[in-house]
Amino acid sequence: MTARRLSLERIANAATVIDPVFLDSPQFLAESLGRELGCRLVVKVETMNPIRSFKARGTEFLTASLENRTPLACATAGNFGQGMAWSARKRGLPLTVFTAANANPLKVERMRALGADVQLVGEDVEAAHEAAKAFASETGARLVEDGRDPEIAEGAGTIGIELSRWPEPFDYILVPLGDGALLAGIARWVKAHHPATRMIGVCASGAPAMERSWRSGRVEELGSTNTIADGIAVRSPWPEAVDDLTGVTDDVLLVEDGALVSAIRRAHADLGVVLEPAGAAALAAVIAHPGQFRGQLVGVILSGGNATAEQLSAWLAP
């Protein structure tokens, strides 16, 4: 394997410094759902923690690695901002978060409850990032960029360590793919230890920028996105993130919003797990492509569960 930006040593170290509340998330054989889908399905539930998503694994490792108390700034669709807010509050670091004016109100409320100064700017996370970048330039704050800072992907890579403890290697592991940090970190660890496991990213059909970028090997930008999965609705991937996926990702699948809703319903009915659309993407791909995974040992990351009551009422309705 060629030299890589993400370090196996740092992924292992991340498991020693991340707050334990975010580590060792449940992973179990979902027997009834697996039988329906024709595979041996292992789910890893990243919603059973104080921010209901995997994001704090990365923010914990990044903030623990900082050498000074410089104020921080970031842009987010919501879950990354919650992770940043949790980790910044824990370490007494001032944090300003920029998110879209139409961001999920539940995520905005929780970021503020965790002590972040939340600014609503623009129509999507890319506009919020431009505002965060300008703010950091003006104030001297350290701009933290999800998908670009290697520590965030390395913190997420601790999920790969935990998956590797399963009694036998997986045939497939499916991971929601937005900015790329989650897939890059997990795939970096898994491919180093179980190279035959096929690592599959899952993008929303209405936000295929990362899928196109991975296939072409260069950044492919979108003018806009059209999906309910705000957490993976990326318009302009980071070049570093595309590079991190190269050589450790075997395929990227696209799923329609209808499949995301189906996965939300199945997870709720069969597993008792509440998911948001981005968090359901990996499961949605298995539901949408059952023939590809038939008879295989398949791991899926259920990455986030920050949906509003109104959203859940709509998505779980008969």
Side-chain angles (χ1 to χ4, degrees):
M1 185 176 290
T2 58
R4 306 205 66 85
R5 189 173 77 117
L6 305 185
S7 160
L8 295 172
E9 181 180 1
R10 289 197 300 268
I11 293 173
N13 183 50
T16 71
V17 301
I18 293 170
D19 192 313
V21 75
F22 299 109
L23 296 172
D24 298 312
S25 56
Q27 55 186 41
F28 59 89
L29 194 66
E31 295 187 55
S32 62
L33 188 51
R35 278 196 299 271
E36 291 180 37
L37 297 174
C39 63
R40 292 184 293 152
L41 183 70
V42 175
V43 295
K44 187 156 186 61
V45 185
E46 288 291 313
T47 64
M48 304 300 293
N49 62 57
I51 67 165
R52 301 187 189 179
S53 88
F54 76 94
K55 290 288 189 178
R57 291 181 184 253
T59 62
E60 278 288 284
F61 187 46
L62 181 138
T63 54
S65 304
L66 297 176
E67 296 180 353
N68 55 49
R69 293 174 53 83
T70 302
L72 304 175
C74 70
T76 182
N79 286 348
F80 178 66
Q82 287 185 74
M84 284 296 299
W86 171 278
S87 298
R89 183 181 69 174
K90 177 180 176 181
R91 294 168 176 82
L93 301 170
L95 171 68
T96 304
V97 176
F98 292 82
T99 192
N102 59 354
N104 180 318
L106 175 65
K107 297 177 182 181
V108 172
E109 176 187 344
R110 288 188 169 158
M111 287 187 285
R112 286 177 171 155
L114 288 167
D117 175 14
V118 181
Q119 301 293 319
L120 305 181
V121 179
E123 296 300 318
D124 59 22
V125 71
E126 274 74 16
H129 177 261
E130 289 303 312
K133 187 176 178 181
F135 173 84
S137 177
E138 294 165 5
T139 65
R142 158 70 146 87
L143 180 62
V144 180
E145 295 170 308
D146 192 7
R148 197 174 202 181
D149 287 299
E151 297 88 351
I152 296 170
E154 289 162 345
T158 56
I159 295 173
I161 297 176
E162 295 165 18
L163 287 169
S164 294
R165 296 175 188 148
W166 195 258
E168 58 183 302
F170 288 93
D171 296 305
Y172 291 88
I173 295 175
L174 286 85
V175 183
L177 177 55
D179 58 57
L182 179 61
L183 176 57
I186 296 174
R188 177 71 175 100
W189 184 271
V190 171
K191 282 294 190 181
H193 295 84
H194 302 291
T197 297
R198 292 182 62 79
M199 297 298 308
I200 310 295
V202 184
C203 294
S205 296
M210 187 59 93
E211 183 262 350
R212 295 177 182 177
S213 299
W214 174 77
R215 293 195 187 283
S216 69
R218 58 186 176 83
V219 171
E220 301 276 357
E221 297 186 359
L222 300 174
S224 62
T225 60
N226 182 24
T227 177
I228 59 173
D230 63 320
I232 54 174
V234 172
R235 281 201 293 113
S236 181
W238 296 116
E240 296 92 336
V242 176
D243 288 344
D244 289 340
L245 296 177
T246 302
V248 295
T249 300
D250 294 286
D251 199 3
V252 178
L253 301 177
L254 299 177
V255 291
E256 302 289 343
D257 282 1
L260 295 171
V261 173
S262 294
I264 290 169
R265 291 175 174 171
R266 298 287 279 277
H268 186 262
D270 288 80
L271 308 174
V273 174
V274 172
L275 297 176
E276 62 185 279
L283 179 58
V286 180
I287 293 171
H289 303 274
Q292 182 171 345
F293 306 106
R294 194 170 306 282
Q296 304 296 301
L297 178 61
V298 180
V300 297
I301 312 300
L302 308 181
S303 61
N306 284 299
T308 67
E310 292 77 15
Q311 288 172 329
L312 290 174
S313 178
W315 295 332
L316 296 177

